[in-house]
Amino acid sequence: MSLADFMARVNGQNIQSHVLSLLLVCVVLTSVVFSLWVLYRLALPRPIPGIPYNEASARKLLGDVSGITLHIKHADGTFITYIMESMKTLNAPLIQVFIRPLSSPLLILADFRKAKDILIHRKDFDRSPSLGDLVKGLVPDHHIHLQTNAAWKTQGRLVQDLMTPSFLHNVAAPVIHQHAMLMIELWRAKSRIADGRPWAGNDDINHVALDAVMAFAFGADFQHSMTKPNLDAVRRLDSRAVDQLRTGGRDEVVEFPKGEIDELIQATLDLTETVGEVQGNPLPALTWAYVNRKPKMKRATKIKEEYIMKELRGAVERLNEGEKEVVKSAVDHLVLREKELAERDHRTPAYISRVMNDEIHAWLHDQKDATLSIQEIIGKHIPYLDAAIEEVLRCASTAPVVDRQALVDTEILGHRVPKGTIVTCLVTGPSMMTPGFAIDEGLRNPTSQAAKKNGRDRAWDPEDMTLFKPERWIVGGEFDATAGPQLAFGLGTRGCYGKRLVYVEMRILLSLIVWNFELLPCPTALSSYKSILITTNEPRQCYVRLREIRPQEAGD
């Protein structure tokens, strides 16, 4: 074979090799592209047949997430206002949205009768993990994570008596009143300095709420406070500093100095604020794993754990010393209940445990005297005050949704709902704050149909249901909590456990505020009803302009 023939054969073999390599690369690339396309199709939202949804969202990997983001950015709204707009567009009381990749759709229900049926009567639904996911990293062993079963009932016995009228009136109410009076003193000092000018009141209200709950948990002798340092800071202002605060116009906001927050209070705030980092995150478990590794979180957790353990040991010592009948705090009560339950179950009491710690921590995450006494506030029969509180809760939508999860394949309003699907019931919206959707009565459950037939299905007058009107809760001259739709605390067995404590706290705060101050109108620019959704709906603006009521006026 000549050299030329040899080289020609080699070149031919090289060409064939290159061709085969190119073909192999093409096959591999085609396989990769096809596999990616298949994975992409599998990752797309999978709507539940028959339930309305945004078709454009169903063609996106992140579903409705981009739409929600744009709505918040351009319409100055929240997730809830996005849902409201979607329901209006789709004209349906039950819709589905896609907010977590590779997950089932989230169903949104805007119908009080159906929501009440699910929350109270339907055994095929139970508490969803959504709320528990938000606090899993803070209180992993709290009873909120349990399904409604024997384990939930057993753990619930630890705290079941904390919401009895006796405990609320004799233990909780006095410490709430004590801290509320401190806020009243703070507002007296601020109103005198502001001299008719507005200032932001939301922090003061949040602070006194935290102070009261911590004192409720640990007792009236609990020395840590957020309100007291702020009061001291305002009282330290000299005449020059006061004049400086008053340099603005009558409608300009006065910015008051704040006191220094102590270590325990700061740790509690740091832990609570982390929930905002998890809210809305499609992968809450991974988010908590990341958040809990931050040095700031580790330090705050250490401070919190050490303090709770110290309080638990103190309560155990008091119990062992024979002070069984002296229950001055939620911690005392939990220790006493654990002793009683252990004796009944023939086991050793687990006073210092993860469960006890998490049950306590969950509570934290809640001149001439012219003021009202706690006995006058709690003991007085004032229907309009109760009605005003109920109407505030109806309109405020502090907790904007109530979730449940389908335990089996079931149905809602004639639509198939697969097992594991989470159903979110709106606390405001159609049938609650605006007229409801027209729904065929035949699609409702027999219990709901029977309630309507027997006159037990109450609805608000469409003409004024959007207004703030406490009178709607007055029936026959008396306050009636069942006068119409209300979901502020959910309904049924898994409704909000701390509901009664909220009513006591609101009754005390509202009574003391209106007894001591005249609430004057704030400028329009400071009077928006816009909210921001963090863990709950919080007001973007919460300003007050107060005129102090003198002792002789309060007594008139």
Side-chain angles (χ1 to χ4, degrees):
M1 179 185 295
S2 67
L3 179 61
D5 292 338
F6 175 75
M7 292 301 296
R9 180 176 295 180
V10 169
N11 288 335
Q13 290 175 345
N14 286 339
I15 291 173
Q16 289 178 344
S17 176
H18 282 305
V19 170
L20 289 174
S21 297
L22 287 174
L23 286 174
L24 181 60
V25 168
C26 289
V27 170
V28 171
L29 286 175
T30 300
S31 299
V32 169
V33 170
F34 179 75
S35 298
L36 289 174
W37 180 82
V38 170
L39 289 174
Y40 170 79
R41 296 294 299 176
L42 290 174
L44 284 175
R46 295 186 176 184
I48 298 173
I51 300 176
Y53 60 91
N54 185 327
E55 294 186 4
S57 297
R59 296 192 291 270
K60 300 175 183 177
L61 279 177
L62 296 180
D64 285 276
V65 172
S66 60
I68 294 169
T69 303
L70 289 174
H71 173 80
I72 293 173
K73 181 178 180 180
H74 297 299
D76 197 24
T78 66
F79 170 68
I80 300 302
T81 56
Y82 172 84
I83 292 299
M84 300 282 199
E85 284 196 7
S86 298
M87 300 195 97
K88 184 177 180 181
T89 301
L90 297 170
N91 191 30
L94 181 68
I95 68 170
Q96 53 187 319
V97 293
F98 316 106
I99 58 174
R100 288 190 180 183
L102 304 175
S103 298
S104 301
L106 174 67
L107 298 190
I108 309 292
L109 176 64
D111 180 75
F112 175 74
R113 287 178 62 192
K114 189 72 240 180
K116 181 180 179 181
D117 186 46
I118 289 173
L119 297 173
I120 296 179
H121 302 295
R122 297 280 292 270
K123 302 303 181 184
D124 47 353
F125 287 92
D126 201 350
R127 186 72 172 262
S128 87
S130 301
L131 182 58
D133 287 345
L134 283 180
V135 296
K136 187 74 172 179
L138 294 179
V139 285
D141 289 324
H142 190 265
H143 68 260
I144 194 174
H145 304 295
L146 301 175
Q147 292 287 306
T148 309
N149 52 26
W152 173 77
K153 292 178 181 178
T154 298
Q155 190 165 328
R157 292 193 184 103
L158 276 173
V159 295
Q160 66 182 11
D161 293 335
L162 293 179
M163 290 300 107
T164 60
S166 174
F167 191 89
L168 289 174
H169 293 176
N170 298 326
V171 179
V175 296
I176 293 173
H177 183 265
Q178 172 188 331
H179 287 278
M181 282 306 304
L182 200 61
M183 191 196 80
I184 295 300
E185 286 303 307
L186 174 62
W187 278 18
R188 283 187 184 278
K190 286 187 174 183
S191 67
R192 292 165 187 167
I193 293 172
D195 191 27
R197 296 171 179 83
W199 78 84
N202 53 320
D203 281 349
D204 295 336
I205 295 171
N206 288 335
H207 293 170
V208 75
L210 178 60
D211 288 346
V213 170
M214 294 191 79
F216 164 76
F218 300 121
D221 295 333
F222 183 75
Q223 296 298 311
H224 306 269
S225 170
M226 292 195 72
T227 305
K228 183 65 165 58
N230 291 334
L231 176 58
D232 293 340
V234 172
R235 284 176 170 171
R236 282 195 297 266
L237 293 171
D238 56 25
S239 58
R240 183 176 179 181
V242 170
D243 290 340
Q244 184 65 32
L245 290 176
R246 292 173 174 171
T247 54
R250 302 295 294 180
D251 287 345
E252 290 192 28
V253 176
V254 177
E255 299 285 350
F256 287 100
K258 296 181 179 180
E260 186 176 349
I261 301 175
D262 74 24
E263 185 178 63
L264 177 61
I265 296 291
Q266 188 60 60
T268 303
L269 292 175
D270 290 341
L271 292 171
T272 303
E273 288 170 0
T274 57
V275 177
E277 297 185 44
V278 182
Q279 174 75 42
N281 194 293
L283 300 170
L286 289 178
T287 305
W288 272 121
Y290 165 71
V291 168
N292 280 334
R293 282 170 172 75
K294 292 183 178 180
K296 179 180 178 181
M297 274 292 288
K298 288 183 177 180
R299 181 175 183 276
T301 300
K302 182 174 182 292
I303 292 170
K304 180 266 295 184
E305 298 269 330
E306 289 177 350
Y307 188 82
I308 290 179
M309 291 304 174
K310 178 173 79 73
E311 290 296 316
L312 279 170
R313 292 189 185 98
V316 173
E317 288 177 8
R318 290 191 292 274
L319 181 63
N320 291 337
E321 290 170 1
E323 299 181 32
K324 180 177 179 180
E325 302 304 323
V326 182
V327 176
K328 297 180 179 180
S329 69
V331 173
D332 286 341
H333 173 80
L334 259 65
V335 167
L336 178 59
R337 285 293 294 163
E338 172 60 15
K339 176 180 174 62
E340 294 171 346
L341 292 172
E343 289 174 351
R344 190 199 67 180
D345 297 338
H346 306 290
R347 60 177 174 80
T348 302
Y351 297 125
I352 312 300
S353 67
R354 180 79 261 160
V355 167
M356 295 285 279
N357 190 303
D358 287 356
E359 291 294 340
I360 294 168
H361 183 210
W363 281 106
L364 312 183
H365 188 65
D366 304 286
Q367 53 244 0
K368 178 182 178 181
D369 188 12
T371 189
L372 295 167
S373 70
I374 185 59
Q375 289 78 17
E376 289 175 304
I377 295 173
I378 297 297
K380 287 286 185 181
H381 177 63
I382 311 173
Y384 194 84
L385 174 60
D386 296 329
I389 291 172
E390 202 69 36
E391 186 69 350
V392 166
L393 292 168
R394 185 184 80 93
C395 296
S397 182
T398 304
V401 299
V402 180
D403 291 333
R404 290 294 182 266
Q405 186 174 40
L407 300 179
V408 296
D409 290 343
T410 184
E411 63 81 30
I412 296 178
L413 298 177
H415 297 290
R416 182 185 67 84
V417 176
K419 176 183 178 180
T421 303
I422 294 176
V423 181
T424 292
C425 307
L426 295 183
V427 172
T428 55
S431 80
M432 302 291 294
M433 293 291 292
T434 58
F437 293 96
I439 298 175
D440 184 351
E441 197 65 19
L443 296 176
R444 298 189 181 277
N445 279 23
T447 51
S448 181
Q449 294 180 29
K452 184 176 181 64
K453 183 178 179 180
N454 297 330
R456 290 182 282 108
D457 174 50
R458 299 182 178 181
W460 299 125
D461 184 350
E463 295 297 321
D464 64 9
M465 65 191 304
T466 60
L467 304 177
F468 178 81
K469 185 181 177 183
E471 293 82 2
R472 72 177 75 252
W473 298 96
I474 304 294
V475 179
E478 292 293 329
F479 169 68
D480 183 357
T482 65
Q486 172 70 294
L487 282 177
F489 297 103
L491 294 170
T493 305
R494 298 305 295 265
C496 178
Y497 173 73
K499 173 181 177 178
R500 291 179 178 177
L501 180 63
V502 172
Y503 280 118
V504 169
E505 191 165 3
M506 288 187 69
R507 188 179 181 90
I508 292 171
L509 279 174
L510 282 178
S511 297
L512 290 176
I513 289 172
V514 299
W515 186 262
N516 288 279
F517 303 102
E518 179 183 357
L519 281 73
L520 304 173
C522 285
T524 303
L526 303 177
S527 301
S528 168
Y529 282 91
K530 289 276 188 179
S531 65
I532 180 171
L533 182 59
I534 305 178
T535 309
T536 56
N537 266 328
E538 297 184 13
R540 296 190 187 183
Q541 294 183 328
C542 181
Y543 293 92
V544 293
R545 193 202 303 254
L546 305 179
R547 185 184 75 82
E548 184 181 354
I549 296 177
R550 301 298 176 180
Q552 62 272 19
E553 297 177 84
D556 292 343

